[in-house]
């Protein structure tokens, strides 16, 4: 069996990625292939729905059922694909502009509906493909093509937002940290319900930090493991006598506390931030059997005729 | 012999007058009559004037008549309809002073006003229905049912039929038994009132039992939804919007039972994207919307055109632009469904005008969408969607399912999602098909679905996509225009719910009736049929409910060029077209010299 095991190459499409050198998106592509190998995902069971932007090109680079849709609208497509055929492993993938600007409506509603799919926001804090305009996650002060005097508005925090919108799996990873990213993605696809993973994905081309030679260093100073952050926070609380427990991603208030505290410091917690098990999924709420694709139903008039005829009585 | 009675109930939104008219319609349906039931309401929940009309006839009708046989009027505002009462007809007027209609303007009709009606042959029956209901039944809403009792008695309809429907209509509700008892008492009050006053119709119009026909009484919107379901629709996503919501509500109610999924989306943009996702996954999927929602979906129509996913959109037109007249009729979106979206992509637009067509086109749309892998619009309007029609039966036999080209993975051929074929249609494959993968993209792509901006590839794939429109047009599957001809010099071309009033006008004109070409597919444009019709007539009236004369322009653009033969007849006040308006246009045209 081991000999037949798929390799990362089996998940590569015929297309060669055309991302810039150093682009964080390449790390995300590698991690997706890695989890497919590790979880032995059949490519014909993998459906990847993407929006528009550099990151959304990822559906072309994976050997799967790829669907490269419109800017900001990947989530309603992805959740509908999974509802129609729950046998598929559905990944929705797109950028921060896609998900947190034009697609914000769908993000909030996907969180509350809890479809059994994984949504990966590849957050590079910039509009890359349109060549360097500020995005909803651009931090204050960053000079971009559309913020010539530095970005003024406060950035969107997708993790905090997902917490309040009711997402049942929330994580953040850093694209250059492959090991953690891979583990998080594996946990995300295993989660029953909507799993949201924001991956910090540096854009060396347009995310220009004047004091830094490499943008990765800017990130490295700002990312912090959430469990470690909690431990540091709790040790700072000196006047409480009781033992404060370790970080527990099942505790939404604890998650929110750390997320907000680090945000004030301009930092990004990483790791599995929040998990809530047992929430009814979108599919369950619509009576969709996880084992059977709706696509396989017999549509013929004959097969359904008697059930159709039952509807007539209401009009007679 | 034609037997026809037209009764209008004019009330206020939320006051139960719709139920009053509805019970009358149901009783007439049960008696074996055809019914066309029309609603005219404000965009309002409670308080503004409403008018519901039951046109009860021994033959199928598809629109309002010019005249009413009776007007049931619950307050002064309803008298605006009184001029439509025919000579020999009646006005049943609620003169309640102590319990006027909510927001109503009730006044006693003065002797002078009554005389004015009587001089033109209109009988006036005046009584304080609401005051009676309040005093005798402690509930002024029961005034509706008192009036119903009077109408039933005037038309000699057997009481048992009404009492059955009163039980059916109210029995299932909260405090059902109490409401039923109250309404039965109210009904009997009405019967007694009529008898006590010896109110009589001058011409003894009555509805006689024709025998239970087993007919359905169904909204136009519901025929589309029912047809879609039988046509194999198993995916629906919608967002509430008047006057399309009944399609959505039907699907939310019934879809699950048939193993499908129906979703209330977060917006029309989400709705159409969900439909695209369902369709891509292999479900037959649709949405229903109206003007503002249709506009929000435009980007996705282009997306669906590019990615070649088969979707169905029912657009139930209302008065626009923008919020416009949400509850009123229009045909203003013809250009939008034909030209909407950016870039160029093929599409099909079909237009039902009868409940049978609503059902059959609702089903057919999916065959067309899947065979040609494009968006199919069912273009209709408030006048069709929110009117109720009797239907003899559900034409199940008219429905067959053809899912178009689907790739067979067992074959030896390499799969190319956008393979260049002679007819422009490339085989689909549903995600999850074992042993395969595929790429679908809104970015311009090669045959495999991968992005390319290569000039030769771009030209080839644009031509492949657009070729599907011609394939569709030549397929013989698009609903053909219906020609009604007796060799007249004047012709009418129209589409959709103008059918009813045109049918009435032609009936009235008899031997002088113009010929009529009713378009049932408006895109790809049926140029041959229209050309032949225009050439065979001196003058062609193009009748439509919009300001710009969108169909008249389309005919001149696609067929005739600027032509003095084409006379545009338009109506854009949001109200239904009346037979008289068409008769006048025909007579005015007849007076002109030939071309």
């Amino acid at each position: 069996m081991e000999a037949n095991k798929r390799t990362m190459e089996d998940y590569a499409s015929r297309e060669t990625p055309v991302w810039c050198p150093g682009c964080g998106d390449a790390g995300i592509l590698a991690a997706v292939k890695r989890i497919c190998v590790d979880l032995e995902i059949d490519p014909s069971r993998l459906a990847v729905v993407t929006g528009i932007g550099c990151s959304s090109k990822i559906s072309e680079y994976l050997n799967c059922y790829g669907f490269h849709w419109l800017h900001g609208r990947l989530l309603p497509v992805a959740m509908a694909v999974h509802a129609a055929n729950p046998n598929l492993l559905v990944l929705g993938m797109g950028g921060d502009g896609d998900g947190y600007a034009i697609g914000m409506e769908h993000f909030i509603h996907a969180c509350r509906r809890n479809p059994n799919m994984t949504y990966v926001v590849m957050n590079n804090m910039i509009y890359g493909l349109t060549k360097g305009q500020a995005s909803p996650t651009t931090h204050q002060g960053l000079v971009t093509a559309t913020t010539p005097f530095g970005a003024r508005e406060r950035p969107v925090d997708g993790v905090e937002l997902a917490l309040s919108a009711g997402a049942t799996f929330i994580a953040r990873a850093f694209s250059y940290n492959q090991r953690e990213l891979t583990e998080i993605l594996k946990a995300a696809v295993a989660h029953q319900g909507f799993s949201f993973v924001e991956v910090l994905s540096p854009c060396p081309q347009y995310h220009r930090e004047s004091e830094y030679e490499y943008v990765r260093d800017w990130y490295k100073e700002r990312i912090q493991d959430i469990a470690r952050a909690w431990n540091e926070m709790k040790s700072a609380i000196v006047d409480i006598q009781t033992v404060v427990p370790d970080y527990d991603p099942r505790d939404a208030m604890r998650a929110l506390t750390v997320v907000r505290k680090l945000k004030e410091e301009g930092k990004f917690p990483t790791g599995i931030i929040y998990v809530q098990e047992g929430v009814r999924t979108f599919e369950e709420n619509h009576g969709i059997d996880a084992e059977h694709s709706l696509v396989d139903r017999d549509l013929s008039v004959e097969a359904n005729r008697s059930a159709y005829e039952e509807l007539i009585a209401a009009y007679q | 012999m034609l037997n026809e009675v037209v009764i209008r109930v004019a009330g206020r939104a939320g006051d139960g007058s719709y139920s009053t008219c509805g019970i009358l319609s149901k009783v007439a349906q049960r008696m074996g009559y055809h019914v066309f039931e029309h609603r005219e309401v404000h965009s309002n929940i409670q308080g503004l004037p409403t008018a519901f009309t039951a046109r009860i006839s021994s033959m199928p009708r598809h629109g309002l008549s010019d005249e009413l046989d009776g007007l049931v009027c619950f307050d002064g505002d309803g008298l605006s309809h009184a001029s439509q009462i025919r000579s020999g007809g009646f006005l049943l007027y609620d003169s309640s002073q102590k319990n006027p209609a909510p927001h109503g303007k009730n006044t006693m009709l003065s002797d002078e006003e009554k005389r004015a009606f009587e001089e033109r042959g209109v009988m006036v029956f005046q009584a304080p229905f609401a005051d009676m209901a309040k005093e005798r039944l402690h509930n002024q809403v029961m005034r509706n049912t008192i009036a119903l009792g009077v109408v039933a008695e005037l038309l000699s309809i057997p009481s048992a039929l009404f009492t059955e429907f009163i039980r059916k209509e109210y029995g299932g509700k909260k405090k059902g038994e109490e409401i039923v008892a109250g309404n039965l008492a109210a009904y009997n009050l009405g019967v007694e009132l009529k008898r006590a006053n010896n109110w009589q119709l001058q011409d003894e119009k009555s509805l006689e039992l024709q025998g239970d026909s087993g007919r359905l009484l169904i909204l136009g919107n519901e025929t589309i939804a029912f047809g879609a379901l039988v046509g194999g629709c198993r995916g629906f996503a919608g967002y509430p919007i008047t006057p399309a919501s009944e399609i959505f509500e039907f699907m939310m109610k019934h879809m699950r039972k048939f193993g499908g999924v129906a979703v209330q989306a977060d917006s029309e943009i989400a709705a159409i994207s969900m439909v695209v996702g369902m369709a891509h996954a292999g479900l037959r999927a649709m949405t229903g919307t109206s003007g503002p929602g249709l506009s929000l979906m435009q980007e996705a129509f282009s997306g669906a055109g590019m990615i070649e996913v088969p979707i169905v959109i029912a657009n139930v037109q209302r008065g626009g632009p923008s919020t416009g007249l949400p509850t009123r009729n229009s045909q203003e979106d013809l250009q939008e469904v034909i030209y909407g979206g950016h870039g160029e992509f093929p599409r099909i637009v079909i237009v039902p005008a009868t409940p049978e067509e609503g059902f059959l086109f609702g089903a057919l749309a999916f065959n067309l969408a899947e065979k040609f892998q494009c968006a199919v619009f069912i273009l209709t309007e408030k006048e069709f969607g929110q009117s109720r029609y009797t239907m003899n039966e559900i034409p199940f036999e008219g429905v067959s399912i053809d899912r178009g080209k689907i790739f067979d993975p067992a074959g030896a051929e390499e799969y190319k999602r956008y393979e260049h074929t002679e007819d422009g249609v490339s085989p689909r494959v549903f995600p999850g098909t074992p042993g395969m993968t595929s790429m679908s993209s809104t970015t311009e792509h090669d045959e495999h679905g991968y992005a390319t901006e290569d000039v030769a590839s771009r030209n080839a794939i644009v031509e492949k996509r657009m070729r599907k429109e011609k394939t569709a047009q030549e397929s013989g599957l698009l609903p053909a225009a219906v020609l009604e001809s007796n060799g007249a010099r004047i012709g009418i071309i129209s589409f959709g719910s103008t059918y009813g009033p045109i049918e009435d006008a032609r009936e009235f004109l008899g031997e002088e009736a113009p010929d009529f070409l009713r378009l049932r597919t408006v895109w790809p444009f049926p140029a041959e049929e229209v050309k032949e019709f225009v050439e065979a007539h001196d003058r062609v009236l193009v009748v439509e409910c919009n300001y710009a004369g969108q169909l008249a322009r389309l005919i001149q653009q696609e067929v005739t060029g600027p032509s003095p033969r084409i006379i545009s007849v338009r109506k854009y006040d949001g109200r239904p077209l009346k037979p008289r308006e068409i008769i006048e246009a025909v007579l005015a045209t007849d007076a002109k010299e030939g071309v």
Side-chain angles (χ1 to χ4, degrees):
Chain A
M1 279 307 288
E2 201 57 26
N4 293 333
K5 196 170 158 117
R6 293 186 184 88
T7 67
M8 291 194 32
E9 264 310 293
D10 292 319
Y11 297 95
S13 77
R14 63 171 71 197
E15 295 296 289
T16 307
V18 280
W19 287 315
C20 307
C23 176
D25 294 348
I28 300 169
L29 177 62
V32 170
K33 290 179 187 169
R34 168 55 57 200
I35 68 158
C36 286
V37 172
D38 290 354
L39 300 174
E40 300 183 27
I41 308 292
D42 180 347
S44 66
R45 205 171 72 78
L46 179 63
V48 180
V49 181
T50 58
I52 295 297
C54 290
S55 52
S56 287
K57 293 186 175 195
I58 198 165
S59 55
E60 281 202 29
Y61 303 149
L62 285 161
N63 178 29
C64 65
Y65 284 100
F67 197 81
H68 193 172
W69 184 234
L70 306 176
H71 191 41
R73 315 298 171 199
L74 69 95
L75 276 171
V77 171
M79 59 195 284
V81 167
H82 191 264
N85 186 350
N87 298 320
L88 296 168
L89 172 65
V90 177
L91 303 181
M93 305 183 78
D96 42 306
D98 195 285
Y100 300 156
I102 191 166
M104 178 62 92
E105 164 198 329
H106 311 305
F107 177 46
I108 303 273
H109 286 272
C111 289
R112 83 175 173 92
R113 290 181 198 269
N114 203 31
N116 198 1
M117 59 164 282
T118 298
Y119 178 38
V120 179
V121 171
M122 304 157 79
N123 178 10
N124 64 0
M125 306 184 184
I126 202 84
Y127 284 88
L129 194 56
T130 48
K131 303 206 187 299
Q133 298 83 7
S135 89
T137 51
T138 295
H139 65 78
Q140 283 174 305
L142 189 71
V143 173
T144 74
T146 49
T147 54
F149 312 110
R152 291 283 184 269
E153 284 146 359
R154 290 166 297 171
V156 166
D157 184 333
V159 164
E160 189 183 349
L161 200 64
L163 270 167
S164 54
T168 55
F169 181 102
I170 303 167
R172 186 187 272 126
F174 182 46
S175 161
Y176 291 173
N177 189 348
Q178 279 288 300
R179 181 175 305 198
E180 186 189 35
L181 173 57
T182 308
E183 289 312 309
I184 284 174
L185 287 177
K186 275 186 198 170
V189 301
H191 176 72
Q192 288 298 304
F194 185 63
S195 49
F196 163 62
V197 182
E198 183 189 280
V199 187
L200 300 171
S201 179
C203 176
Q205 198 66 27
Y206 292 113
H207 189 138
R208 295 198 183 100
E209 300 289 343
S210 51
E211 289 118 65
Y212 292 79
E213 191 176 352
Y214 298 109
V215 68
R216 70 164 70 182
D217 296 332
W218 182 89
Y219 279 96
K220 281 187 169 165
E221 285 176 17
R222 284 166 179 78
I223 59 175
Q224 197 165 358
D225 176 72
I226 191 145
R228 194 179 304 161
W230 171 253
N231 282 338
E232 283 171 17
M233 280 169 70
K234 72 177 187 183
S235 64
I237 304 168
V238 287
D239 50 351
I240 291 179
Q241 299 302 309
T242 50
V243 177
V244 182
D246 286 342
Y247 190 76
D248 181 352
R250 290 169 300 184
D251 183 339
M253 290 314 292
R254 210 173 301 172
L256 199 57
T257 303
V258 189
V259 166
R260 291 210 67 126
K261 180 77 168 52
L262 291 189
K263 190 162 98 172
E264 282 166 20
E265 297 168 8
K267 290 184 176 168
F268 303 94
T270 59
I272 293 174
I273 290 163
Y274 180 65
V275 179
Q276 186 182 8
E277 303 285 357
V279 177
R280 282 177 68 85
T281 63
F282 174 70
E283 292 79 358
E284 285 169 337
N285 284 327
H286 282 81
I288 295 166
D289 178 353
E291 303 296 313
H292 300 101
S293 167
L294 302 185
V295 182
D296 296 335
R297 304 273 177 152
D298 185 351
L299 298 184
S300 68
V301 180
E302 301 74 48
N304 297 282
R305 175 85 181 242
S306 60
Y308 292 145
E309 280 174 351
E310 282 173 24
L311 304 183
I312 293 174
Y315 302 103
Q316 279 173 328
Chain B
M1 203 187 107
L2 175 67
N3 188 14
E4 186 163 295
V5 175
V6 186
I7 304 291
R8 177 165 300 165
V9 180
R12 297 263 163 185
D15 71 353
S17 48
Y18 184 46
S19 296
T20 308
C21 186
I23 292 173
L24 189 63
S25 300
K26 288 296 282 185
V27 166
Q29 168 206 18
R30 230 350 130 75
M31 291 175 77
Y33 283 91
H34 294 274
V35 179
F36 171 78
E37 184 193 81
H38 185 265
R39 84 167 76 151
E40 200 63 53
V41 301
H42 278 82
S43 178
N44 163 254
I45 306 297
Q46 287 196 353
L48 290 177
T50 57
F52 303 101
T53 310
R55 187 176 183 190
I56 299 161
S57 179
S58 55
M59 65 178 283
R61 296 297 192 183
H62 301 93
L64 284 178
S65 51
D66 287 314
E67 293 188 323
L68 304 172
D69 293 298
L71 173 65
V72 179
C73 193
F74 288 115
D75 77 81
D77 272 350
L79 290 173
S80 63
H81 301 277
S83 63
Q84 293 173 51
I85 306 171
R86 69 172 171 89
S87 174
F90 70 89
L91 167 67
L92 186 60
Y93 185 69
D94 186 349
S95 58
S96 299
Q97 298 296 294
K98 285 182 243 161
N99 299 282
H103 309 282
K105 296 168 188 160
N106 292 56
T107 47
M108 285 287 282
L109 291 178
S110 66
D111 288 344
E112 200 178 324
E113 284 171 309
K114 279 174 75 175
R115 207 175 307 118
F117 278 113
E118 282 157 10
E119 272 170 15
R120 62 179 188 88
V122 174
M123 311 285 294
V124 178
F125 308 134
Q126 187 170 216
F129 297 109
D131 290 350
M132 286 170 68
K134 184 76 177 177
E135 283 156 25
R136 310 266 302 265
L137 304 163
H138 313 293
N139 185 350
Q140 99 186 50
V141 174
M142 300 287 183
R143 60 153 209 208
N144 289 292
T145 314
I146 300 177
L148 201 55
V150 176
V151 172
E153 196 64 10
L154 283 170
L155 298 173
S156 322
I157 301 172
S159 287
L161 286 167
F162 273 100
T163 51
E164 181 194 337
F165 277 102
I166 286 168
R167 285 180 213 283
K168 205 171 168 182
E169 179 82 13
Y170 302 113
K173 295 189 177 166
K174 204 171 141 192
K175 295 188 186 173
E177 279 314 302
E178 201 180 309
I179 297 170
V180 169
N183 276 285
L184 292 178
Y187 181 85
N188 289 328
L189 267 182
V191 172
E192 287 162 23
L193 184 69
K194 187 261 176 194
R195 289 179 186 163
N197 287 291
N198 197 26
W199 288 338
Q200 299 288 346
L201 293 184
Q202 283 174 332
D203 51 5
E204 295 292 326
K205 210 155 197 180
S206 66
L207 291 176
E208 285 142 22
L209 201 62
Q210 311 282 305
D212 189 348
S213 61
R215 285 191 187 110
L216 294 80
L217 183 65
I218 186 166
L219 280 171
N221 277 338
E222 290 166 336
T223 66
I224 293 172
F226 200 164
L229 186 68
V230 175
C233 177
R234 292 295 181 271
F236 187 95
Y239 190 83
I241 191 164
T242 305
S245 291
E246 293 85 2
I247 299 174
F248 182 19
E249 290 161 8
F250 181 100
M251 292 302 194
M252 293 302 283
K253 190 171 180 185
H254 299 301
M255 186 65 88
R256 191 182 289 198
K257 186 165 47 190
F258 293 92
V261 57
V263 185
Q264 177 158 353
D266 20 300
S267 66
E268 281 92 349
I269 295 176
I272 191 69
S273 287
M274 286 178 182
V275 168
V276 164
M278 293 167 185
H280 167 62
L283 293 185
R284 291 192 145 191
M286 78 176 288
T287 187
T289 191
S290 185
L294 184 78
S295 296
L296 282 175
M297 294 178 183
Q298 296 295 329
E299 188 198 17
F301 296 151
S302 296
M306 185 61 146
I307 213 158
E308 301 196 49
V309 72
I311 55 172
V312 174
I313 306 100
N315 181 49
V316 189
Q317 296 165 97
R318 65 190 218 183
S322 191
T323 310
L325 299 171
T327 58
R328 310 287 183 180
N329 191 51
S330 101
Q331 295 181 314
E332 294 168 39
D333 298 343
L334 175 64
Q335 288 178 334
E336 188 172 8
V337 294
I338 290 175
Y339 301 126
H342 55 278
E344 298 171 308
F345 54 94
R347 73 192 86 195
I348 293 168
V349 184
I350 55 179
V351 191
T354 67
E356 290 76 17
E357 287 175 353
F359 178 87
L360 291 171
F361 292 5
L364 173 70
F366 292 91
N367 282 358
L368 299 177
E370 292 200 320
K371 274 191 81 74
F372 308 113
Q373 295 180 27
C374 68
V376 175
F377 294 87
I378 301 169
L379 182 65
T380 182
E381 59 283 268
K382 173 259 161 195
E383 194 65 8
F384 176 74
Q386 292 198 323
S387 293
R388 285 206 293 181
Y389 301 80
T390 39
M391 233 177 138
N392 287 339
E393 57 180 6
I394 292 292
F396 289 110
E397 281 69 27
V399 178
S400 62
I401 290 175
D402 180 350
R403 304 212 60 181
K405 290 186 194 175
I406 295 172
F407 186 75
D408 177 10
E413 287 156 61
E414 181 194 19
Y415 182 66
K416 293 186 262 186
R417 170 66 193 94
Y418 301 104
E419 186 179 358
H420 293 175
T421 57
E422 207 173 312
D423 61 5
V425 182
S426 320
R428 289 192 296 157
V429 62
F430 301 146
T433 303
M436 296 187 58
T437 56
S438 81
M439 183 66 209
S440 306
S441 183
T442 59
T443 304
E444 189 57 288
H445 40 259
D446 61 18
E447 286 185 275
H448 289 277
Y450 296 114
T452 178
E453 297 182 12
D454 176 79
V455 170
S457 173
R458 160 73 178 177
N459 283 336
I461 202 154
V462 167
E463 288 155 17
K464 173 203 112 67
R465 278 194 295 269
M466 297 310 291
R467 205 149 60 225
K468 294 189 294 182
E469 203 160 272
K470 191 159 175 279
T471 303
Q473 187 153 30
E474 291 170 356
S475 67
L477 297 173
L478 305 182
V482 177
L483 174 66
E484 291 176 51
S485 171
N486 47 17
R489 287 170 52 233
I490 299 175
I492 291 178
I493 301 182
S494 194
F495 68 115
S497 66
T498 56
Y499 172 52
I502 291 172
E503 192 183 41
D504 275 316
R506 294 184 71 248
E507 185 182 301
F508 177 86
L509 290 166
E511 286 182 5
E512 303 299 311
D515 292 350
F516 180 30
L517 186 70
R518 179 164 66 86
L519 305 186
R520 301 193 300 170
T521 299
V522 291
W523 201 264
F525 194 74
E528 286 304 314
E529 290 154 289
V530 170
K531 184 165 184 277
E532 202 172 303
F533 186 82
V534 172
E535 284 175 356
H537 295 90
D538 293 344
R539 300 275 183 183
V540 174
L541 306 185
V542 181
V543 177
E544 56 194 310
C545 294
N546 57 59
Y547 174 83
Q550 296 183 18
L551 180 62
R553 287 182 182 190
L554 193 59
I555 289 169
Q556 292 178 80
Q557 174 190 305
E558 297 291 323
V559 180
T560 64
S563 169
R565 283 180 201 231
I566 303 294
I567 296 168
S568 181
V569 179
R570 297 158 292 145
K571 183 181 176 80
Y572 39 85
D573 61 7
R575 303 315 193 268
L577 196 68
K578 290 298 197 63
R580 184 176 306 282
E581 294 171 290
I582 296 160
I583 294 165
E584 283 166 6
V586 170
L587 295 177
T589 306
D590 207 18
K592 288 181 185 169
E593 292 291 309
V595 180

